[in-house]
Amino acid sequence: MEVVQILQGIISLILILGLSPLFVGLVNKQKAIYTGRAGASILQPYYELKKLMKKETINANSSSFISTIAPLINLIAVAAAAAMLPISFARPLISFEGDIILFAYMLGLARFFQVLAAMDIGSSFEGMGAAREATFAVFAEPIFFFTIGSIAFISGFTSIYDIYHSIRLDNISFVVFIIVCSISVFILAVTECSRMPVDDPNTHLELTMIHEVMILDNSGIDLFLYQYSSYIKLFIYVILEASFFYPFAVQSYTLGIIIFVVVIIILSAALAAVETVTSRFKMKNIPHYLLFATAIGILNLLIYTFTK
Amino acid sequence: MDLLFYSLLLQLSSIAAIAFFTENKKASAAAHLLLAAGLITGFITTLTAVLTSNFILKDMNVFGISTSLFRFDALGLYFLCIIQLVAIPTTIYSYSYLKHYIEKGKSVKSNLVFYAVLLTSTQMVVVSNHAILFLICWEVMSTSAYLGMIFEKEKKDVQTGAFYYLVMSHAVVFLLYVFFFFLHNQTNSWLFSNFHLSPDAGKLFIILYALGLIAFGMKAGFMPFHFWLPRAHPIAPTVFSAFLSGIIIKMGIYGILRTFQFLNPTPEWLGWLVLSVSMISAIYGVWYALAQHDIKRLLAYHSVENIGIIGIGIGVGFIGSAYHSVPIQVLGFGGALLHTLNHAVFKSLLFVGSGVIYQNLGTRNIELMGGLVHYGKYFVVLFLIGSIAISGIPPFNGFISEFIIYNSFFTTAKELKNYYPLLMLISAVGLAFVGGLAVACFTKINSIMFLGKERKEVKHFNISFYEYLSLGIFALLCVAIGFYPQPFIVIVNKVLTEGFIPAASSFSLLNINWYLLSIIFISASVGIILIFLWKRSIQKKYGRRISSAWGCGYEGLNPRMQYTASSYADELNEISKTALVYHKKVDKQKEIFPLKGKFESHSEDLADNKILLPAFRNFSSFVSRIRFLSYTDIRYYIAFILIIITIYSLIAFLWK
């Protein structure tokens, strides 16, 4: 049993790590279709990663050992967070009481080194991106606790797997609660993964970027590692969102996987649609946007607590 | 336990060594050697006593004389362990620190004497069982810290900063006198081991708690009594500010835990009070730290934050005590105790690091630093370990204690049900918010001080062997507690179960699977190394070169164009601007080709400016109103004293 569980965990992790570029390809393809273009193949992110791997690495002349180790730590921290997420009913590789805290703080570790590596270049462009990333993270952190954390406090479970599988659909106020939570998680995903309307990954102007400007001076294998970990990070948040729908599977493995696939395709469509119809916010308004997500989280929680 | 007293004597003998050698250099070497030897023997004795549960609670023999002046219980020995553990590397650093002054021709003897007295008296504080002995040791500790602080007494800011500390210490001692006299009055004993009161004592119970919490909380630096921290730390010699932040403020925590031991179970509202004050301290401390440019002042505000985090654990423990719930108490107090050790370690590391920087650059202003990584790579690695640890990020020690505190929230929600999940969730969000701000703050100081290009020419950046040794020991502890918490958790658990929490055997901190965390951290590190090797081989294949940074085609980038600490934290500081604490003045440029501009920003402490300073001012104006009693002749004062004594005696006589 134990061995089977570990195997399931490993397979889940490999799936997450392997499929994350595909998700980005899926989003980009749909975005192209919505805007009336043919678009690149959905396997394009894989080709790009392969291309990056074969490029020469260029480091800025003021960079130090931070630039060398930051991409590695970034990738491993994000991968460790990915190892805590369930796919269908398989128990994740890392699953213990309180792993929700480790999950949040592993992403914090990734952010810490990403910001340091950006500041390592000594250019104002990276400085701007780093300052924005650090500022928005301060507001994004509470959202995570007000959504997934609040389910943990209500259900009494502290492991991400148990938290999601404790969701029951028999209580109508709880269902409403979960739906609003999933909206907050969507906003969180958009912020943390630097997608529209918080950050525009396709812009060509350094002054308006967050994530892209932080990795402006990276190339070759370093850029490969950063890009790959940002793909994984997006996929992590998508899984956080998709996991809300597992209760529909009623303890069936295959049904769980079908739900997983369907929800992910729907989410990629949603993300592509949002990115097609909205434009990027003014930088000044982003904290308001995040506080809005926090506010609906709090309101939702209060309503649930008092109608229970 | 005699060995422990021998070790104290060995430490005190360093004073004799200072008197014996006339030459500063020899005196310093001899004194530090004796101090280190005394501390190491003391530490080994304490550690074995804790590990073998060799606690002495009542009468004991000191050099063959039976006495009840001292007590070696689990809590006292735990704090003794922390003091000695942190003092060893601090003493090693002290040797190299004072060498700089000796080379400049300044006499360091007095400073050394105060340091030795400070060390021994602090160790005495945690083992004394008699209230009067405790107060004497406490007073000696506070005074010697003050005397050590005014090492550079010719500077004006040193005088004012140290004065705030002195005022605080006296207020604390005054409150403690009242506290212990009340306790004596109730229990008819001066011994800590006999002090115990239950809530049945009514109003007095609350008064005692208020006295204890205010007095010890002032020493610990809880908001709004934190005013002395950002003033005293920057001006103190680094050795003293490291010891002050690492140990002395922890004595406040020790006092609060002792207060709990005397007076329990606590009422629930008290737990909430402590929890909310601590939460405010934590957020307040880190928020102000973000606006600071003086590295030591910034670290001082971070002490307020971390004391807040320790207080959160204590608050949860109080709530658990109100409900007689063992798991809540174990997790709450356990998190607080472990964070006390952790903060002592990483804060001392950071203070010693800031001292090294100050010695080399001659400034504490981080806006004038930058690019130090190109001068001292290993130094930056050590400082970075401390920074990651203090931000509570895995895999270092800060994470372990915060993890326990988060778990205490979860357990409280689970045990007490009702509206507790909501309240505990808010606490967890608060702690996460503090963590996010700490990350912003420590990425700020690390990147501004060490990374990029140097903003001001670095003439020399030498780090001596002793400095590396001291920093290395601290960093090793951060890594050890983070990667392999099990043995440290065993010790904390022992402290909790043996005498601190009544009937605590039903739940233990070891219920959490600490080995699993170790395995995760170690395998993640192995993963990083493997990817590093892979990356190396890829780079060998496809090449790597160094080139200038991207500047939109502009080639003339210079260090002054880099992001500064102000600009990095600007967006967050803008928010506190609405609370009237952050002021910014920018000269608007009108010409198309601007020539000269000016920008200034400064932050004010809200609690200071709006609450404490006006209170002090009112008090002094009140005092000046009764100045008519002030005379130049001392005989008047003697007369006043006699009159007061007569009145007191009359009252006492009539009372009977």
Side-chain angles (χ1 to χ4, degrees), chain B residues 445-507:
Chain B
I445 64 167
N446 275 288
S447 45
I448 302 299
M449 291 199 314
F450 301 138
L451 306 179
K453 300 183 197 115
E454 52 264 50
R455 291 178 178 79
K456 200 181 140 201
E457 198 195 348
V458 180
K459 289 201 186 80
H460 59 94
F461 197 71
N462 309 322
I463 298 152
S464 71
F465 168 74
Y466 294 104
E467 283 162 346
Y468 266 130
L469 184 65
S470 157
L471 289 166
I473 294 172
F474 283 131
L476 191 70
L477 279 169
C478 288
V479 174
I481 303 175
F483 273 85
Y484 189 54
Q486 182 79 11
F488 301 93
I489 301 287
V490 169
I491 290 174
V492 170
N493 196 50
K494 204 166 219 169
V495 174
L496 291 172
T497 46
E498 304 201 14
F500 190 66
I501 299 167
S505 51
S506 59
F507 184 88

Side-chain angles (χ1 to χ4, degrees), chain B residues 109-131:
Chain B
K109 281 186 172 175
S110 60
N111 193 267
L112 258 173
V113 172
F114 299 141
Y115 182 61
V117 173
L118 177 64
L119 275 184
T120 37
S121 58
T122 316
Q123 290 172 60
M124 295 279 282
V125 164
V126 292
V127 293
S128 44
N129 190 30
H130 198 283

